Amino acid sequence: MSVVHRLTAGWLVDHLSFINQCGYQICDSFAYPGDVTLNMSVTSTGDCHATSTFAATSSSRDGPIPGPGDVVETEGKTAEKRYVFREEFFDISKPHIAAAPEEQLCQGCPEVNLTEVKAISNREEHQKGTNSGIRDSVASARKKRKRKCMFNQGELDALEYHSKVRKLIWEGTLHLVQEGLKSGFLHRASAELSCRKDIVPGHLACGLAELCEMAKQFPAVNESDRQAVHVLDDETAIPEQDLLSCVTENNSNYAKIVVLMGQKYLVPPKSSFLLSDISRLQPLLDYKKYDVIVIDPPWENKSVKRSNRYSYLSSWQIRQIPVPVLAAPNCLVVTWVTNRQKHLHFVKDELYPHWSVKTLAEWHWVKITRAGEFVLPLDSLHKKPYEVLVLGRVQGDKKEALRKSEDVLPLPEHKLIVSVPCSLHSHKPPLTVVLSEFIKPDVECLELFARNLQPGWTSWGNEVLKFQHIDYFTLLQNQN
């Protein structure tokens, strides 16, 4: 199960398990006795609600059709393949920066005042600076630039917010970690392991965002001629123009492998996606209305500008996202927010009111190691071991909202999602299971600015297939 433990404070989530439960088991195509052809496909299992079956066509009904648990033989050999997400991307064994012993999670929840937070920050800066001679030089240069004030306004706002949520995060995480240690999901001994830093092959940065930019140069397609939906069939290669101009849908119970620019991507069952930038949203607007919309905006910040990891949007551009057009009545809207208070205030005070969304709750995603430690000191001034989710509902027809809210629990004001994070940048934990208590079953779900796909969801973004690249997965093969 992707939810390992559920307590009043929130959930301990196994992100890696969720990916692998989406079902990436493949059976090669071959002739089955009685001229039954089994198409290459991926069954879906676990809590993603897709049915595990074999697709079969037959000209003869002699002999049984193999079921999902059967081993299929051909010429005396079985052919069974299964893809699993590479485990090393979740091998977070040690904190990025170790907290002092008195600040560690297992020591309880000490009260920390502003002076102590500053001391923690100084220790953290010293530890980072001693990791290399270059960092020492940079740290020395920074010390020469003295501030007039100890903290700027943004840092003061962040400290004030942190002081409000700190105890909830500490105590809730402690309870969930204790359960994880009892069950064996987390291991204190993991901290003694060396952290592997596997380098992602360079070809995985295969230019999806650049392709979306190039798509603007494609000849315009008349509305009457434009294909609304491209349904994946057994052909894996898709012309770039088709993929970029309409929603691509896998409506089977099996995953498909698609080839784009010579690269292979795994598409889970019962999923759909649109690969485009924000200027090419029309196919999505024509597709469906959604009961759940999760948004992970590319927020503008100094780190993104320096690293040039991905393009970012200004607050004004984020306001232009047509959420009211995409949303069904009483739609649940969830927005990932960085720890900059400027962004949090923008979402709650400007963005949600602009979209007619009423803010109902703030949750936190807490990142821990496999040993149950925070990946960063909780009181770090530079980065926090948690991120914020702002949840709200679209306001509209009150009768329709009441009808849709029947038999659904109200959103609690605060919950924690605690997990070992993926080392791949911005690979967020799944919300499918944790949101299930607060939405009706079989609703339409959409993720905006997605970088991966999920069964039962529509995903959009200019890197929407990024983490579906086949090289992020390991092929397990069993030949008997």
Side-chain angles (χ1 to χ4, degrees):
M1 293 290 291
S2 56
V3 172
V4 183
H5 295 289
R6 182 191 182 281
L7 301 177
T8 303
W11 306 269
L12 180 62
V13 174
D14 186 348
H15 188 171
L16 177 62
S17 175
F18 175 84
I19 296 173
N20 292 332
Q21 285 172 6
C22 291
Y24 293 105
Q25 186 172 324
I26 296 179
C27 293
D28 283 336
S29 297
F30 54 80
Y32 183 75
D35 297 329
V36 177
T37 301
L38 298 182
N39 297 321
M40 187 177 81
S41 54
V42 185
T43 63
S44 177
T45 59
D47 50 5
C48 298
H49 307 296
T51 305
S52 300
T53 56
F54 285 91
T57 57
S58 176
S59 59
S60 170
R61 293 302 175 190
D62 296 332
I65 301 297
D70 296 335
V71 176
V72 183
E73 295 191 4
T74 176
E75 297 181 350
K77 293 184 178 180
T78 62
E80 182 180 307
K81 297 179 181 178
R82 182 165 63 96
Y83 283 99
V84 294
F85 204 76
R86 286 166 55 181
E87 188 174 353
E88 61 263 32
F89 292 127
F90 287 90
D91 187 17
I92 311 297
S93 302
K94 294 182 180 178
H96 306 317
I97 298 172
E102 67 273 13
E103 299 150 18
Q104 290 177 5
L105 186 60
C106 58
Q107 299 298 319
C109 184
E111 295 297 328
V112 179
N113 59 36
L114 193 64
T115 303
E116 290 170 329
V117 169
K118 182 175 180 292
I120 291 168
S121 176
N122 287 339
R123 286 201 301 271
E124 183 182 323
E125 186 67 31
H126 174 73
Q127 183 174 345
K128 289 166 68 178
T130 54
N131 286 337
S132 74
I134 295 175
R135 289 181 181 177
D136 282 337
S137 301
V138 171
S140 299
R142 284 177 178 169
K143 288 178 183 178
K144 294 176 182 178
R145 298 197 299 269
K146 293 185 178 180
R147 289 185 180 182
K148 293 181 181 179
C149 300
M150 184 181 299
F151 299 104
N152 61 35
Q153 189 57 50
E155 289 168 335
L156 289 172
D157 291 344
L159 281 172
E160 182 181 358
Y161 178 81
H162 178 66
S163 68
K164 293 177 180 177
V165 302
R166 183 181 188 279
K167 186 175 181 181
L168 286 169
I169 289 174
W170 186 293
E171 293 182 350
T173 303
L174 178 62
H175 293 152
L176 286 162
V177 164
Q178 287 174 337
E179 289 300 312
L181 291 169
K182 287 178 188 175
S183 67
F185 173 69
L186 301 174
H187 303 274
R188 288 291 185 205
S190 299
E192 299 173 5
L193 302 175
S194 60
C195 283
R196 294 179 292 178
K197 292 188 177 180
D198 295 75
I199 299 174
V200 180
H203 70 272
L204 292 191
C206 49
L208 293 173
E210 290 79 3
L211 180 63
C212 291
E213 189 65 28
M214 289 168 53
K216 296 176 183 178
Q217 310 303 319
F218 291 167
V221 179
N222 293 330
E223 286 296 313
S224 58
D225 298 331
R226 184 168 63 82
Q227 187 178 3
V229 178
H230 180 95
V231 179
L232 292 176
D233 53 24
D234 293 333
E235 297 297 325
T236 59
I238 301 176
E240 282 80 359
Q241 190 160 351
D242 289 350
L243 196 67
L244 292 155
S245 61
C246 65
V247 174
T248 299
E249 187 177 86
N250 178 11
N251 56 20
S252 74
N253 290 327
Y254 312 101
K256 306 286 185 180
I257 297 178
V258 299
V259 180
L260 178 64
M261 299 184 296
Q263 302 294 324
K264 291 183 178 180
Y265 300 90
L266 291 165
V267 181
K270 302 298 184 183
S271 66
S272 54
F273 66 91
L274 173 62
L275 173 64
S276 79
D277 70 9
I278 201 167
S279 69
R280 298 276 181 119
L281 273 177
Q282 193 58 47
L284 191 64
L285 303 181
D286 296 338
Y287 186 51
K288 289 178 181 178
K289 297 285 187 180
Y290 296 93
D291 303 284
V292 178
I293 299 178
V294 175
I295 311 166
D296 185 14
W299 296 105
E300 180 180 3
N301 61 57
K302 291 179 182 178
S303 173
V304 170
K305 289 180 178 179
R306 283 196 303 267
S307 66
N308 197 31
R309 272 194 298 255
Y310 56 83
S311 58
Y312 54 85
L313 296 181
S314 67
S315 296
W316 179 86
Q317 290 171 306
I318 293 172
R319 277 172 59 101
Q320 307 313 306
I321 301 169
V323 165
V325 180
L326 294 163
N330 204 41
C331 172
L332 174 62
V333 180
V334 183
T335 304
W336 289 94
V337 186
T338 68
N339 282 306
R340 286 190 68 187
Q341 292 304 292
K342 174 183 175 182
H343 294 152
L344 183 58
H345 289 312
F346 167 70
V347 170
K348 294 168 64 177
D349 302 337
E350 295 184 46
L351 186 63
Y352 276 13
H354 178 69
W355 288 341
S356 298
V357 173
K358 181 181 179 182
T359 300
L360 298 176
E362 286 179 35
W363 293 0
H364 292 86
W365 170 36
V366 183
K367 294 171 260 191
I368 60 170
T369 68
R370 290 167 57 199
E373 302 172 89
F374 292 119
V375 296
L376 291 164
L378 182 59
D379 298 308
S380 166
L381 281 183
H382 302 281
K383 286 186 178 180
K384 293 289 191 291
Y386 60 81
E387 293 185 33
V388 185
L389 299 89
V390 181
L391 297 89
R393 288 196 184 274
V394 170
Q395 302 300 290
D397 188 315
K398 289 186 178 180
K399 289 183 179 179
E400 179 69 12
L402 286 171
R403 185 185 67 81
K404 286 211 165 189
S405 63
E406 291 175 359
D407 304 321
V408 173
L409 293 175
L411 282 172
E413 291 186 6
H414 190 265
K415 285 282 188 180
L416 300 182
I417 301 168
V418 178
S419 71
V420 177
C422 183
S423 59
L424 300 170
H425 177 70
S426 203
H427 199 317
K428 296 294 198 298
L431 300 180
T432 303
V433 180
V434 300
L435 292 178
S436 63
E437 300 174 42
F438 314 104
I439 56 177
K440 288 195 169 184
D442 303 320
V443 296
E444 298 290 348
C445 302
L446 168 68
E447 183 174 5
L448 300 175
F449 302 102
R451 295 179 181 87
N452 60 287
L453 309 179
Q454 300 180 58
W457 286 63
T458 300
S459 304
W460 166 81
N462 64 354
E463 292 186 312
V464 74
L465 293 176
K466 181 174 181 177
F467 297 133
Q468 299 302 132
H469 195 288
I470 202 165
D471 282 356
Y472 284 118
F473 294 77
T474 298
L475 175 61
L476 303 180
Q477 187 166 351
N478 179 26
Q479 291 282 348
N480 294 319

